[in-house]
Coordinates of all heavy atoms in Angstrom, one line a residue:
G1 N -0.3 0.4 -1.9 CA 0.5 0.6 -3.0 C 1.2 1.9 -3.1 O 1.9 2.1 -4.1
Q2 N 1.0 2.8 -2.2 CA 1.7 4.1 -2.2 C 3.1 3.9 -1.8 O 3.5 3.0 -1.0 CB 1.0 5.1 -1.3 CG -0.4 5.5 -1.7 CD -1.0 6.5 -0.8 OE1 -1.0 6.4 0.4 NE2 -1.5 7.6 -1.4
K3 N 4.0 4.8 -2.3 CA 5.4 4.8 -2.0 C 5.7 5.9 -0.9 O 5.3 7.0 -1.2 CB 6.2 5.0 -3.2 CG 7.7 4.9 -3.0 CD 8.5 4.9 -4.3 CE 8.5 6.2 -4.9 NZ 9.3 6.4 -6.0
I4 N 6.3 5.5 0.2 CA 6.7 6.5 1.2 C 8.2 6.7 1.2 O 9.0 5.7 1.2 CB 6.3 5.9 2.6 CG1 4.8 5.6 2.7 CG2 6.6 6.9 3.7 CD1 3.9 6.8 2.5
N5 N 8.7 7.9 1.2 CA 10.1 8.2 1.4 C 10.2 9.4 2.3 O 9.3 10.2 2.4 CB 10.8 8.4 0.1 CG 12.2 8.0 0.2 OD1 12.8 7.7 1.3 ND2 12.9 8.2 -0.9
I6 N 11.3 9.5 3.0 CA 11.5 10.6 3.9 C 12.9 11.2 3.7 O 13.9 10.4 3.7 CB 11.3 10.2 5.4 CG1 10.0 9.6 5.6 CG2 11.5 11.4 6.3 CD1 9.8 8.9 6.9
D7 N 13.0 12.5 3.5 CA 14.3 13.2 3.4 C 14.6 13.7 4.8 O 14.0 14.8 5.2 CB 14.2 14.3 2.4 CG 15.4 15.2 2.3 OD1 16.3 15.1 3.2 OD2 15.4 16.1 1.4
F8 N 15.4 13.0 5.6 CA 15.7 13.4 7.0 C 16.5 14.6 7.1 O 16.4 15.3 8.1 CB 16.2 12.2 7.7 CG 15.2 11.1 7.9 CD1 15.3 10.0 7.1 CD2 14.3 11.1 8.8 CE1 14.4 8.9 7.2 CE2 13.4 10.1 9.0 CZ 13.4 9.0 8.2
D9 N 17.3 14.9 6.1 CA 18.2 16.1 6.1 C 17.3 17.3 6.1 O 17.6 18.3 6.8 CB 19.2 16.1 5.0 CG 20.2 15.0 5.1 OD1 20.6 14.6 6.2 OD2 20.7 14.6 4.0
N10 N 16.2 17.3 5.3 CA 15.4 18.5 5.2 C 14.0 18.3 5.9 O 13.2 19.2 5.9 CB 15.1 18.8 3.7 CG 16.4 19.2 3.0 OD1 17.0 20.2 3.4 ND2 16.8 18.5 1.9
G11 N 13.8 17.1 6.4 CA 12.6 16.9 7.2 C 11.3 16.8 6.4 O 10.2 17.1 6.9
I12 N 11.4 16.3 5.2 CA 10.3 16.3 4.2 C 9.9 14.8 4.0 O 10.7 13.9 3.7 CB 10.6 16.9 2.9 CG1 11.0 18.4 3.1 CG2 9.4 16.8 1.9 CD1 11.6 19.0 1.9
V13 N 8.5 14.6 4.1 CA 7.9 13.3 3.9 C 7.3 13.3 2.5 O 6.6 14.2 2.1 CB 6.9 12.9 4.9 CG1 6.2 11.6 4.6 CG2 7.5 12.9 6.3
Y14 N 7.6 12.2 1.7 CA 7.1 12.2 0.4 C 6.1 11.0 0.2 O 6.4 9.9 0.8 CB 8.2 11.9 -0.7 CG 9.2 13.1 -0.8 CD1 10.2 13.3 0.1 CD2 8.9 14.1 -1.8 CE1 11.1 14.4 0.0 CE2 9.8 15.2 -1.9 CZ 10.8 15.3 -1.0 OH 11.7 16.4 -1.1
V15 N 5.1 11.1 -0.5 CA 4.1 10.1 -0.8 C 4.1 10.1 -2.3 O 3.7 11.1 -2.9 CB 2.7 10.3 -0.2 CG1 1.8 9.2 -0.7 CG2 2.8 10.3 1.3
N16 N 4.4 9.0 -2.9 CA 4.5 8.8 -4.4 C 5.3 9.9 -5.0 O 4.9 10.6 -6.0 CB 3.1 8.8 -5.0 CG 2.3 7.6 -4.5 OD1 2.9 6.5 -4.2 ND2 1.0 7.7 -4.4
D17 N 6.5 10.2 -4.4 CA 7.5 11.2 -4.9 C 7.0 12.6 -4.8 O 7.7 13.5 -5.3 CB 7.9 10.9 -6.3 CG 8.5 9.5 -6.4 OD1 9.3 9.2 -5.5 OD2 8.3 8.8 -7.5
E18 N 5.9 12.9 -4.1 CA 5.4 14.2 -3.9 C 5.5 14.6 -2.4 O 5.1 13.8 -1.6 CB 3.9 14.3 -4.3 CG 3.6 14.1 -5.8 CD 4.2 15.2 -6.7 OE1 4.2 16.4 -6.2 OE2 4.7 15.0 -7.8
P19 N 6.1 15.8 -2.1 CA 6.2 16.2 -0.8 C 4.8 16.5 -0.2 O 3.9 17.0 -0.9 CB 7.0 17.5 -0.8 CG 6.9 18.0 -2.2 CD 6.6 16.8 -3.1
I20 N 4.5 16.1 1.0 CA 3.2 16.3 1.6 C 3.3 17.5 2.6 O 4.3 17.7 3.2 CB 2.6 15.1 2.3 CG1 3.5 14.6 3.5 CG2 2.4 13.9 1.4 CD1 2.9 13.5 4.3
E21 N 2.2 18.3 2.6 CA 2.2 19.4 3.5 C 1.7 18.9 4.9 O 0.7 18.2 5.0 CB 1.1 20.4 3.0 CG 1.1 21.7 3.8 CD 0.2 22.7 3.2 OE1 0.2 22.9 2.0 OE2 -0.5 23.4 4.0
E22 N 2.5 19.3 5.9 CA 2.3 18.8 7.2 C 2.3 19.9 8.2 O 3.1 20.0 9.1 CB 3.4 17.8 7.6 CG 3.4 16.5 6.7 CD 4.3 15.5 7.2 OE1 5.6 15.7 7.1 OE2 3.9 14.5 7.8
D23 N 1.3 20.7 8.2 CA 1.1 21.9 9.1 C 0.7 21.5 10.5 O 0.7 22.3 11.4 CB 0.2 22.9 8.5 CG -1.2 22.4 8.2 OD1 -1.4 21.2 8.3 OD2 -2.0 23.2 7.8
Y24 N 0.5 20.2 10.7 CA 0.0 19.7 12.0 C 1.2 19.1 12.8 O 1.0 18.8 14.0 CB -1.0 18.6 11.8 CG -0.6 17.5 10.8 CD1 0.2 16.5 11.1 CD2 -1.0 17.7 9.5 CE1 0.6 15.6 10.2 CE2 -0.6 16.8 8.5 CZ 0.3 15.7 8.9 OH 0.7 14.8 8.0
I25 N 2.4 19.0 12.3 CA 3.5 18.4 13.1 C 4.2 19.4 13.9 O 4.2 20.6 13.6 CB 4.5 17.6 12.2 CG1 5.1 18.5 11.1 CG2 3.8 16.4 11.5 CD1 6.2 17.8 10.3
A26 N 4.7 19.0 15.0 CA 5.4 19.8 15.9 C 6.7 20.3 15.4 O 7.1 21.5 15.5 CB 5.7 19.1 17.3
D27 N 7.5 19.4 14.7 CA 8.8 19.7 14.1 C 9.0 18.9 12.8 O 8.3 17.9 12.6 CB 9.9 19.4 15.1 CG 10.0 20.2 16.3 OD1 10.0 21.4 16.2 OD2 9.9 19.6 17.4
L28 N 9.8 19.4 12.0 CA 10.1 18.6 10.8 C 10.6 17.2 11.1 O 11.2 17.0 12.2 CB 11.2 19.3 9.9 CG 10.8 20.7 9.3 CD1 12.0 21.3 8.6 CD2 9.6 20.5 8.4
T29 N 10.5 16.2 10.2 CA 10.8 14.9 10.5 C 12.3 14.7 10.3 O 12.8 14.5 9.2 CB 10.0 13.9 9.6 OG1 8.6 14.2 9.7 CG2 10.2 12.4 9.9
K30 N 13.0 14.6 11.4 CA 14.4 14.5 11.4 C 15.0 13.2 12.0 O 16.1 12.8 11.8 CB 15.1 15.7 12.1 CG 14.8 17.0 11.6 CD 15.6 17.3 10.3 CE 15.5 18.7 9.9 NZ 16.5 19.1 8.9
T31 N 14.1 12.5 12.8 CA 14.5 11.3 13.4 C 14.2 10.1 12.6 O 13.1 9.8 12.2 CB 13.7 11.1 14.8 OG1 13.9 12.3 15.6 CG2 14.2 9.9 15.5
K32 N 15.3 9.3 12.2 CA 15.2 8.3 11.2 C 14.7 6.9 11.8 O 14.0 6.2 11.2 CB 16.6 8.0 10.6 CG 16.6 7.1 9.5 CD 17.9 7.0 8.8 CE 17.8 6.1 7.6 NZ 18.9 6.2 6.7
L33 N 15.0 6.7 13.1 CA 14.7 5.4 13.7 C 15.3 4.3 12.8 O 16.5 4.4 12.5 CB 13.2 5.1 13.9 CG 12.5 6.2 14.9 CD1 11.1 5.9 15.0 CD2 13.2 6.1 16.3
D34 N 14.5 3.3 12.3 CA 15.1 2.2 11.5 C 14.7 2.4 10.0 O 14.9 1.5 9.2 CB 14.5 0.9 11.9 CG 14.9 0.6 13.3 OD1 16.0 0.9 13.8 OD2 14.0 0.0 14.1
F35 N 14.1 3.5 9.6 CA 13.6 3.7 8.3 C 14.6 3.7 7.2 O 15.6 4.4 7.3 CB 12.8 5.0 8.2 CG 12.1 5.2 6.9 CD1 10.9 4.7 6.6 CD2 12.7 5.9 5.8 CE1 10.2 4.8 5.4 CE2 12.1 6.1 4.6 CZ 10.9 5.5 4.4
I36 N 14.4 2.8 6.2 CA 15.2 2.8 5.0 C 14.3 2.8 3.9 O 13.5 1.9 3.7 CB 16.1 1.6 4.9 CG1 17.1 1.5 6.1 CG2 16.9 1.5 3.6 CD1 17.9 0.2 6.2
G37 N 14.2 3.9 3.1 CA 13.2 4.0 2.1 C 13.8 4.2 0.7 O 15.1 4.2 0.6
P38 N 13.0 4.3 -0.3 CA 11.6 4.3 -0.1 C 11.0 3.0 0.2 O 11.6 1.9 0.0 CB 11.1 4.8 -1.6 CG 12.3 4.4 -2.5 CD 13.5 4.4 -1.7
K39 N 9.7 3.0 0.8 CA 9.0 1.8 1.1 C 7.6 1.9 0.4 O 7.0 2.9 0.3 CB 8.8 1.7 2.6 CG 10.0 1.3 3.4 CD 9.6 1.0 4.8 CE 10.8 0.5 5.5 NZ 10.4 -0.2 6.8
E40 N 7.2 0.7 -0.1 CA 5.9 0.6 -0.6 C 4.9 0.0 0.4 O 5.2 -0.9 1.1 CB 5.8 -0.3 -1.9 CG 4.5 -0.3 -2.5 CD 4.5 -1.1 -3.9 OE1 5.5 -1.0 -4.6 OE2 3.5 -1.7 -4.2
V41 N 3.8 0.7 0.6 CA 2.8 0.3 1.5 C 1.9 -0.9 0.9 O 1.3 -0.6 -0.1 CB 1.9 1.5 2.0 CG1 0.8 1.0 3.0 CG2 2.7 2.6 2.5
P42 N 2.0 -2.0 1.5 CA 1.2 -3.2 1.0 C -0.3 -2.9 1.1 O -0.8 -2.2 1.9 CB 1.6 -4.4 1.9 CG 2.8 -3.9 2.6 CD 2.8 -2.4 2.7
E43 N -1.0 -3.6 0.2 CA -2.5 -3.5 0.2 C -3.0 -3.9 1.6 O -2.5 -4.9 2.2 CB -3.1 -4.5 -0.9 CG -4.6 -4.4 -1.0 CD -5.1 -3.2 -1.7 OE1 -4.3 -2.7 -2.5 OE2 -6.2 -2.8 -1.4
G44 N -3.9 -3.2 2.2 CA -4.5 -3.6 3.5 C -3.7 -3.1 4.6 O -4.0 -3.4 5.7
C45 N -2.7 -2.3 4.4 CA -1.8 -1.8 5.5 C -1.8 -0.3 5.4 O -2.1 0.4 4.4 CB -0.4 -2.3 5.4 SG -0.3 -4.1 5.7
V46 N -1.3 0.3 6.5 CA -1.0 1.8 6.5 C 0.3 2.0 7.2 O 0.9 1.2 7.9 CB -2.1 2.6 7.3 CG1 -3.4 2.5 6.6 CG2 -2.2 2.1 8.7
F47 N 1.0 3.1 6.7 CA 2.2 3.6 7.3 C 1.8 4.8 8.3 O 1.2 5.7 7.9 CB 3.1 4.1 6.2 CG 4.5 4.5 6.7 CD1 5.5 3.6 6.6 CD2 4.8 5.8 7.1 CE1 6.8 3.9 7.0 CE2 6.0 6.2 7.5 CZ 7.1 5.2 7.4
V48 N 2.1 4.6 9.6 CA 1.7 5.6 10.6 C 2.9 6.3 11.1 O 3.9 5.8 11.4 CB 0.9 4.9 11.7 CG1 -0.4 4.2 11.2 CG2 1.8 3.8 12.4
M49 N 2.6 7.7 11.3 CA 3.5 8.5 12.0 C 2.8 9.5 12.8 O 1.7 10.0 12.4 CB 4.4 9.3 11.0 CG 5.5 8.4 10.3 SD 6.7 9.4 9.5 CE 5.8 10.2 8.3
G50 N 3.2 9.8 14.0 CA 2.6 10.8 14.9 C 2.9 12.2 14.6 O 3.8 12.5 13.7
D51 N 2.2 13.1 15.2 CA 2.4 14.5 14.9 C 3.6 15.0 15.7 O 4.2 16.1 15.4 CB 1.2 15.4 15.2 CG 0.7 15.2 16.7 OD1 1.2 14.3 17.4 OD2 -0.2 16.0 17.0
N52 N 4.1 14.3 16.8 CA 5.2 14.7 17.5 C 6.3 13.6 17.2 O 6.9 13.0 18.1 CB 5.0 14.8 19.0 CG 6.1 15.4 19.8 OD1 7.0 16.0 19.2 ND2 6.1 15.1 21.1
R53 N 6.5 13.3 15.9 CA 7.2 12.2 15.5 C 8.7 12.1 15.9 O 9.3 11.0 15.9 CB 7.1 11.9 14.1 CG 7.6 13.0 13.2 CD 7.2 12.7 11.8 NE 5.8 12.8 11.6 CZ 5.1 13.2 10.6 NH1 5.8 13.6 9.5 NH2 3.9 13.3 10.5
N54 N 9.3 13.2 16.2 CA 10.7 13.2 16.6 C 10.9 12.6 18.0 O 12.0 12.3 18.5 CB 11.4 14.5 16.4 CG 11.6 14.9 15.0 OD1 11.9 14.1 14.1 ND2 11.3 16.1 14.6
M55 N 9.8 12.5 18.7 CA 9.8 12.0 20.1 C 8.9 10.8 20.2 O 8.4 10.5 21.3 CB 9.3 13.1 21.1 CG 10.2 14.3 21.1 SD 11.9 13.9 21.5 CE 11.7 13.6 23.2
S56 N 8.5 10.1 19.1 CA 7.6 9.0 19.1 C 8.1 7.9 18.4 O 9.0 8.0 17.6 CB 6.2 9.4 18.7 OG 6.2 9.8 17.3
T57 N 7.5 6.7 18.6 CA 7.8 5.5 17.8 C 6.6 5.2 16.9 O 5.5 5.2 17.3 CB 8.1 4.3 18.8 OG1 9.2 4.7 19.7 CG2 8.5 3.1 18.1
D58 N 6.9 4.9 15.7 CA 5.9 4.6 14.7 C 6.4 3.7 13.6 O 7.3 2.9 13.8 CB 5.3 6.0 14.2 CG 6.4 6.9 13.7 OD1 7.4 6.4 13.1 OD2 6.4 8.1 13.9
S59 N 5.8 3.8 12.4 CA 6.2 2.9 11.3 C 7.6 3.1 10.8 O 8.1 2.2 10.1 CB 5.2 3.1 10.1 OG 4.0 2.6 10.4
R60 N 8.3 4.0 11.3 CA 9.7 4.2 11.0 C 10.6 3.1 11.7 O 11.7 2.8 11.4 CB 10.3 5.6 11.3 CG 9.7 6.6 10.3 CD 10.0 8.0 10.9 NE 9.3 8.2 12.1 CZ 9.7 9.0 13.1 NH1 10.8 9.7 12.9 NH2 9.0 9.1 14.2
K61 N 10.0 2.6 12.8 CA 10.6 1.6 13.6 C 10.3 0.2 13.1 O 9.2 -0.1 12.8 CB 10.2 1.7 15.1 CG 10.9 0.9 16.0 CD 12.2 1.6 16.3 CE 12.9 0.9 17.5 NZ 14.4 1.1 17.5
A62 N 11.4 -0.7 12.9 CA 11.2 -2.0 12.3 C 10.2 -2.9 13.1 O 9.4 -3.6 12.5 CB 12.5 -2.7 12.3
E63 N 10.1 -2.7 14.4 CA 9.2 -3.5 15.2 C 7.7 -3.2 14.9 O 6.8 -4.0 15.1 CB 9.4 -3.4 16.7 CG 10.6 -4.0 17.2 CD 11.8 -3.1 17.1 OE1 11.7 -1.9 16.7 OE2 12.9 -3.5 17.6
I64 N 7.5 -2.0 14.4 CA 6.1 -1.5 14.1 C 5.8 -1.6 12.6 O 4.9 -2.3 12.2 CB 5.8 -0.1 14.6 CG1 5.9 -0.1 16.2 CG2 4.5 0.4 14.1 CD1 5.8 1.3 16.7
D65 N 6.7 -1.0 11.8 CA 6.6 -1.1 10.3 C 5.2 -0.8 9.9 O 4.5 0.1 10.5 CB 7.1 -2.5 9.8 CG 7.5 -2.4 8.4 OD1 8.0 -1.3 7.9 OD2 7.3 -3.4 7.7
M66 N 4.7 -1.5 8.9 CA 3.3 -1.2 8.4 C 2.3 -1.8 9.3 O 2.5 -2.9 9.8 CB 3.2 -1.8 7.0 CG 4.2 -1.4 6.0 SD 4.2 0.3 5.6 CE 5.7 0.4 4.6
V67 N 1.2 -1.1 9.5 CA 0.2 -1.6 10.4 C -1.0 -2.2 9.5 O -1.5 -1.5 8.6 CB -0.4 -0.4 11.3 CG1 -1.5 -0.9 12.1 CG2 0.8 0.1 12.1
D68 N -1.4 -3.4 9.8 CA -2.6 -4.0 9.2 C -3.8 -3.2 9.5 O -4.1 -3.0 10.6 CB -2.7 -5.4 9.7 CG -3.7 -6.3 8.9 OD1 -4.9 -5.7 8.6 OD2 -3.5 -7.4 8.6
S69 N -4.5 -2.7 8.5 CA -5.7 -1.9 8.7 C -6.8 -2.6 9.5 O -7.6 -1.9 10.1 CB -6.2 -1.4 7.3 OG -6.6 -2.5 6.5
R70 N -6.8 -3.9 9.5 CA -7.8 -4.6 10.3 C -7.6 -4.4 11.8 O -8.5 -4.7 12.6 CB -7.8 -6.1 10.0 CG -8.2 -6.4 8.5 CD -8.0 -7.8 8.2 NE -6.6 -8.2 8.2 CZ -6.1 -9.3 8.0 NH1 -6.9 -10.4 7.7 NH2 -4.8 -9.5 8.0
L71 N -6.4 -3.9 12.2 CA -6.1 -3.7 13.6 C -6.4 -2.2 14.0 O -6.3 -1.9 15.2 CB -4.6 -3.9 13.9 CG -4.1 -5.4 13.5 CD1 -2.6 -5.5 13.7 CD2 -4.8 -6.4 14.4
I72 N -6.9 -1.4 13.1 CA -7.2 -0.1 13.4 C -8.7 -0.1 13.8 O -9.6 -0.3 13.0 CB -7.0 0.9 12.3 CG1 -5.5 0.8 11.9 CG2 -7.4 2.3 12.6 CD1 -5.1 1.6 10.7
I73 N -9.0 0.2 15.1 CA -10.4 0.1 15.6 C -10.9 1.4 16.0 O -12.1 1.5 16.4 CB -10.5 -1.0 16.7 CG1 -9.5 -0.6 17.8 CG2 -10.2 -2.4 16.2 CD1 -9.7 -1.5 19.1
G74 N -10.1 2.5 16.0 CA -10.6 3.8 16.5 C -11.5 4.4 15.5 O -11.6 4.0 14.3
Q75 N -12.3 5.4 15.9 CA -13.2 6.1 15.0 C -13.1 7.6 15.4 O -13.2 7.9 16.6 CB -14.6 5.6 15.2 CG -15.6 6.2 14.2 CD -17.0 5.5 14.4 OE1 -17.3 5.1 15.5 NE2 -17.7 5.5 13.3
V76 N -13.0 8.4 14.4 CA -13.0 9.9 14.6 C -14.4 10.4 15.0 O -15.3 10.1 14.3 CB -12.5 10.6 13.4 CG1 -12.5 12.2 13.6 CG2 -11.1 10.2 13.0
K77 N -14.5 11.1 16.2 CA -15.7 11.6 16.6 C -15.7 13.2 16.6 O -16.7 13.8 16.3 CB -16.0 11.2 18.1 CG -16.2 9.7 18.2 CD -17.5 9.3 17.6 CE -17.8 7.8 17.8 NZ -19.1 7.4 17.3
C78 N -14.5 13.7 16.9 CA -14.4 15.2 16.9 C -13.0 15.7 16.6 O -12.1 14.9 16.8 CB -14.9 15.8 18.2 SG -13.9 15.4 19.6
V79 N -12.9 16.9 16.2 CA -11.6 17.6 16.0 C -11.4 18.5 17.2 O -12.3 19.3 17.5 CB -11.6 18.4 14.7 CG1 -10.3 19.1 14.6 CG2 -11.8 17.4 13.6
V80 N -10.2 18.4 17.8 CA -9.9 19.3 19.0 C -8.9 20.4 18.5 O -9.0 21.5 18.9 CB -9.3 18.5 20.2 CG1 -8.9 19.5 21.3 CG2 -10.3 17.5 20.6
F81 N -8.0 20.0 17.7 CA -6.9 20.9 17.2 C -6.8 20.8 15.7 O -6.7 19.6 15.3 CB -5.6 20.7 18.0 CG -4.6 21.7 17.7 CD1 -4.6 22.9 18.4 CD2 -3.6 21.4 16.8 CE1 -3.6 23.9 18.1 CE2 -2.6 22.4 16.5 CZ -2.7 23.6 17.2
P82 N -6.6 21.8 14.9 CA -6.6 23.2 15.4 C -7.9 23.7 15.9 O -8.9 23.2 15.4 CB -6.1 23.9 14.1 CG -6.6 23.0 13.0 CD -6.5 21.7 13.5
F83 N -7.8 24.6 16.8 CA -9.1 25.1 17.4 C -10.0 25.7 16.4 O -11.2 25.7 16.6 CB -8.7 26.2 18.5 CG -7.9 25.6 19.6 CD1 -6.7 26.1 19.9 CD2 -8.4 24.6 20.3 CE1 -6.0 25.6 21.0 CE2 -7.7 24.0 21.4 CZ -6.5 24.6 21.7
S84 N -9.5 26.2 15.2 CA -10.4 26.7 14.2 C -11.3 25.7 13.6 O -12.3 26.0 12.9 CB -9.6 27.4 13.1 OG -8.7 26.5 12.5
S85 N -10.9 24.4 13.7 CA -11.7 23.3 13.2 C -12.4 22.5 14.2 O -12.9 21.4 14.0 CB -10.8 22.3 12.4 OG -10.2 23.0 11.3
F86 N -12.4 23.0 15.5 CA -13.0 22.3 16.6 C -14.5 22.0 16.4 O -15.2 22.8 15.9 CB -12.9 23.2 17.9 CG -13.4 22.5 19.1 CD1 -12.5 21.7 19.9 CD2 -14.7 22.6 19.5 CE1 -12.9 21.1 21.0 CE2 -15.1 22.0 20.7 CZ -14.3 21.2 21.4
G87 N -14.8 20.7 16.6 CA -16.2 20.3 16.5 C -16.4 18.8 16.2 O -15.4 18.1 16.1
L88 N -17.6 18.4 16.1 CA -17.9 17.0 15.8 C -17.7 16.7 14.3 O -17.8 17.6 13.5 CB -19.4 16.7 16.1 CG -19.8 16.8 17.6 CD1 -21.3 16.6 17.7 CD2 -19.0 15.9 18.4
V89 N -17.3 15.5 14.0 CA -17.0 15.0 12.7 C -18.2 14.2 12.3 O -18.7 13.4 12.9 CB -15.8 14.1 12.6 CG1 -15.6 13.5 11.2 CG2 -14.6 14.9 13.0
K90 N -18.8 14.6 11.1 CA -20.0 13.9 10.6 C -19.7 12.8 9.6 O -18.7 12.8 9.0 CB -20.9 14.9 9.9 CG -21.4 16.0 10.9 CD -22.2 17.0 10.1 CE -22.6 18.1 11.1 NZ -23.5 19.1 10.5

């Protein structure tokens, strides 16, 4: 039910009309792909974007769009970066 929008001119991603802090991304989000927003994330889905998103394909691309959360099978075991947070996740 969250609303996603992206200001590609300024590289800012908004969730529910609030800019999100993204200190983990390589560059500001300037690559639009097929995104036309704002978009509402349906129940049971997620909107995914990578940390190197100007060089990656993700939910901004029509072929990927929202990802059904039942398809997410990974599990976080540890943090590698930033190095100050390196360690196992409990």
Side-chain angles (χ1 to χ4, degrees):
Q2 292 180 313
K3 183 173 70 172
I4 306 295
N5 207 359
I6 304 171
D7 174 352
F8 293 100
D9 292 331
N10 295 305
I12 301 170
V13 177
Y14 293 87
V15 176
N16 297 330
D17 298 321
E18 294 291 326
I20 60 173
E21 186 175 321
E22 299 186 284
D23 55 356
Y24 49 83
I25 59 174
D27 294 303
L28 296 176
T29 306
K30 299 283 189 166
T31 306
K32 187 172 185 164
L33 299 176
D34 302 323
F35 185 86
I36 298 173
K39 287 190 172 195
E40 185 173 326
V41 181
E43 184 74 29
C45 292
V46 294
F47 186 91
V48 296
M49 288 193 297
D51 58 349
N52 189 18
R53 60 185 67 144
N54 291 318
M55 299 300 291
S56 65
T57 302
D58 50 37
S59 287
R60 292 168 295 154
K61 192 77 173 154
E63 291 90 358
I64 296 175
D65 201 32
M66 306 297 172
V67 177
D68 188 315
S69 60
R70 295 174 293 181
L71 300 175
I72 301 172
I73 57 174
Q75 186 177 28
V76 176
K77 295 289 185 177
C78 69
V79 174
V80 176
F81 188 80
F83 296 122
S84 59
S85 299
F86 185 87
L88 297 176
V89 175
K90 298 178 183 182

